[in-house]
Amino acid sequence: MRSWYHLAKSTVSSPRLPWASNLYHRRQSHNVIRTFTASVRRPAQHSRVVSELEKRVAAIPLDRFRNFCIVAHVDHGKSTLSDRLLELTGTIEPGGNKQILDKLDVERERGITVKAQTCSMIYNYRGEDYLLHLVDTPGHVDFRAEVSRSYASCGGALLLVDASQGIQAQTVANFYLAFSQGLQLVPVINKVDLPSADAPRALEQMQSTFELDPAKAILVSAKTGLNVEAVLPAVIEQIPAPVGDAQKPLRLLLVDSWYHTYKGVVLLVRIFDGQIKAGDQVVSFATGLKYFVGEVGMMYPDQTPQIVLRAGQVGYIFFNPGMKRSQDAKVGDTYTTVGSEAMVKPLPGFEEPKSIVFVSAFPVDQSDYQHLEDSINQIVLNDRSVTLHKESSEALGAGWRLGFLGTLHCSVFEDRLRQEHGASIIITPPTVPFKVIWNDGTETVIKNPAKFPNRDEGHSRVAELHEPYVSATITFPEEYLGKVIELCEANRGEQKELKFFTATQVILRYEIPLAHLVDDFFGRLKGATKGYASLDYEDSDWRQSNIVKLQLLVNKVPVDAVARVVHTSQAERLGRQWVTKFKEHVDRQMFEIVIQATAGTRIVARETIKPFRKDVLQKLHASDVSRRRKLLEKQKEGRKKLKAVGNIAIDHKAFQAFLAK
């Protein structure tokens, strides 16, 4: 019996059947050499149904665009007002989640905005659609860089003031920042429904401090929705439309970026000229790298794809293949289409925020090092202002040196590590950089206290030591003036200005060492004023100072995890606190343990932990005194030998308890 293969072969080679004959000739023709030509590469085009939202956006001309942000002091109601505006325009359903734009768990838990969030809205005013782009900004001074970037994408701002609190420090700072960038400001008084609200006082403060017309102010209650419907008409009438030309070559500004697991780096951009759509090839002016656009869209309030983004719009884009390194997305960079580089002038970028507070971070258990490293890197992908360097400690093992914009920024980062990644971590107290000027004229900025020059080295090589100062602005009721001045003077502050901007409110300006500011200065200020004071600060300069490294010694061995650079006037007080607290967390041994605090070469404090002691006289009843002395001397000699060879292993829990506030 022949196989199927032979049967098919004989059938094809025999031209008796017509279909077999055709197949035979076709097979013969396959032996002819064929030539191939490569097709031109064309990006995939979207072929999807245009949504009603896209049709409405496409029908809105540039002169009916409005880009604005909400700025205020912390806890004056920015996120709540954003919710009411989104509900009013139908962007979100009424009565849903509170503070929809606060997307981090730590933001919802603390009730503060950490990262600026954006959203687009369509509002019908007098029978015409307007495209409104809203940015909800942080209110704390640590996140001023977020506010500054938000201003670049906006033409105006709602200046929000709490009717019960009045103008506070960050309100003043945000006003001058917006005024310097030429933004149109719309004054809004919030929380007018509170029993303690004093709207006339807030209006008077706005007029006297900022010279804003009280007649243009809008009195609202974002919580109850009272008079919120008057906000958007004021935005349309008072804030100018963005300037741009959709027919010119593409010119867009990178405002922000975040990392997505599958899409890579997603960019938040403001289109100044031209338009951008999926399939376009763009190039970065800062890096020179080229990318194909995978998707464009706007935040409504989540990522909503669009066919095109036009001049004047703010939206998101990501690339295909995606941008994998967040370092390539340089905030403030300009992008244009490939081939238009010569016709487009780059936009002025942003000043990169500088870290001013540094901490060391170590895993509680060194076996968790890799997990903690992955967790830190994942958060740093979405928070570009954190600086990260590896370091090691003899006491705590391998870890990292982290730089932050302030103490709240550091605290939020730590909370995110614990909540989002379940990390067990030891954080050292915050420190600030110091400048060393050497005898040969060179300068070195030292960010780690462990690398601070010793006293012996200092006498021979160091010419001067400098520490950073900040200019602090404090606002508070006048009844607490004495306590606030006392607190600032105790922290080596220098008074620069004192003025009353109302009959009961004071603005006080001091120049304070940054090292004192990060040492819970704000907490003590709140305690001294029963929570009524507010604080804003900015960099001042470097000043020569008499500073020294304070270190902890256990049996004359330095503990490198506990080191700090302090002013000589603080060394003794802090040294006594350190040795007293550290003694509580170190276990007793069979030999004496001496805990010392040293400032340079001088010992400023000491505590002793007595050893466990055996009663060697227990067996003696009526013996001679010389016999007793002999046994005690023998025990004493044994203690000396044990102390000479004994090593103290300080448990991680002791460091954790000592470093905890």
Side-chain angles (χ1 to χ4, degrees), residues 160-277:
L160 198 64
V161 175
D162 187 333
S164 59
Q165 300 284 345
I167 289 175
Q168 294 187 278
Q170 197 59 28
T171 318
V172 178
N174 285 335
F175 168 81
Y176 287 116
L177 188 61
F179 187 77
S180 65
Q181 297 199 18
L183 297 190
Q184 182 68 37
L185 294 169
V186 179
V188 179
I189 308 295
N190 191 22
K191 302 186 182 182
V192 296
D193 60 317
L194 294 180
S196 58
D198 190 352
R201 184 196 64 169
L203 290 170
E204 181 190 343
Q205 290 177 357
M206 275 193 167
Q207 186 176 23
S208 60
T209 310
F210 304 142
E211 298 181 358
L212 294 176
D213 186 1
K216 293 184 177 181
I218 307 163
L219 307 182
V220 303
S221 169
K223 185 176 181 181
T224 63
L226 176 67
N227 203 32
V228 172
E229 65 276 1
V231 173
L232 292 181
V235 167
I236 291 170
E237 291 170 2
Q238 297 184 39
I239 293 178
V243 178
D245 187 350
Q247 305 306 317
K248 286 185 178 180
L250 174 68
R251 185 171 64 147
L252 64 84
L253 177 71
L254 174 54
V255 178
D256 198 3
S257 67
W258 59 92
Y259 192 83
H260 189 276
T261 308
Y262 304 110
K263 299 174 182 176
V265 181
V266 182
L267 312 181
L268 183 72
V269 298
R270 156 82 153 87
I271 315 293
F272 280 86
D273 290 312
Q275 57 184 20
I276 186 170
K277 60 184 182 299

Side-chain angles (χ1 to χ4, degrees), residues 619-624 628:
K619 59 185 178 182
L620 300 180
H621 296 288
S623 62
D624 184 64
R628 291 171 178 267

Side-chain angles (χ1 to χ4, degrees), residues 134-379:
L134 163 70
V135 184
D136 180 20
T137 61
H140 198 276
V141 61
D142 284 7
F143 307 106
R144 185 192 283 124
E146 292 278 331
V147 181
S148 178
R149 288 204 303 266
S150 302
Y151 288 163
S153 62
C154 297
L158 299 179
L159 187 66
L160 198 64
V161 175
D162 187 333
S164 59
Q165 300 284 345
I167 289 175
Q168 294 187 278
Q170 197 59 28
T171 318
V172 178
N174 285 335
F175 168 81
Y176 287 116
L177 188 61
F179 187 77
S180 65
Q181 297 199 18
L183 297 190
Q184 182 68 37
L185 294 169
V186 179
V188 179
I189 308 295
N190 191 22
K191 302 186 182 182
V192 296
D193 60 317
L194 294 180
S196 58
D198 190 352
R201 184 196 64 169
L203 290 170
E204 181 190 343
Q205 290 177 357
M206 275 193 167
Q207 186 176 23
S208 60
T209 310
F210 304 142
E211 298 181 358
L212 294 176
D213 186 1
K216 293 184 177 181
I218 307 163
L219 307 182
V220 303
S221 169
K223 185 176 181 181
T224 63
L226 176 67
N227 203 32
V228 172
E229 65 276 1
V231 173
L232 292 181
V235 167
I236 291 170
E237 291 170 2
Q238 297 184 39
I239 293 178
V243 178
D245 187 350
Q247 305 306 317
K248 286 185 178 180
L250 174 68
R251 185 171 64 147
L252 64 84
L253 177 71
L254 174 54
V255 178
D256 198 3
S257 67
W258 59 92
Y259 192 83
H260 189 276
T261 308
Y262 304 110
K263 299 174 182 176
V265 181
V266 182
L267 312 181
L268 183 72
V269 298
R270 156 82 153 87
I271 315 293
F272 280 86
D273 290 312
Q275 57 184 20
I276 186 170
K277 60 184 182 299
D280 289 351
Q281 189 180 19
V282 297
V283 61
S284 160
F285 274 91
T287 65
L289 298 174
K290 299 175 182 178
Y291 304 94
F292 281 99
V293 178
E295 182 180 290
V296 302
M298 63 183 189
M299 309 300 289
Y300 189 79
D302 299 319
Q303 293 181 17
T304 306
Q306 300 285 296
I307 291 177
V308 66
L309 289 178
R310 294 178 285 149
Q313 280 190 267
V314 178
Y316 72 90
I317 63 173
F318 63 83
F319 303 123
N320 185 16
M323 182 189 289
K324 297 304 179 188
R325 297 175 66 248
S326 61
Q327 291 83 356
D328 292 338
K330 298 186 180 297
V331 173
D333 189 9
T334 305
Y335 285 75
T336 187
T337 48
V338 173
S340 303
E341 297 95 311
M343 296 181 283
V344 172
K345 184 181 178 182
L347 294 157
F350 305 120
E351 184 181 352
E352 282 291 327
K354 296 177 182 176
S355 300
I356 61 172
V357 173
F358 296 87
V359 301
S360 293
F362 302 92
V364 173
D365 186 353
Q366 280 293 315
S367 62
D368 295 334
Y369 179 87
Q370 190 60 47
H371 168 68
L372 186 57
E373 183 177 35
D374 293 341
S375 303
I376 289 175
N377 287 333
Q378 195 168 340
I379 297 180

Side-chain angles (χ1 to χ4, degrees), residues 77 80 129 147 229 240 291 310 315 323 419 457 461 467 473 493 504 567 610 631:
T80 309
D129 281 345
V147 181
E229 65 276 1
Y291 304 94
R310 294 178 285 149
M323 182 189 289
Q419 292 174 3
E457 186 184 12
R461 294 182 56 209
E467 66 175 331
T473 303
T504 59
H567 194 263
K610 297 294 182 182
L631 288 172

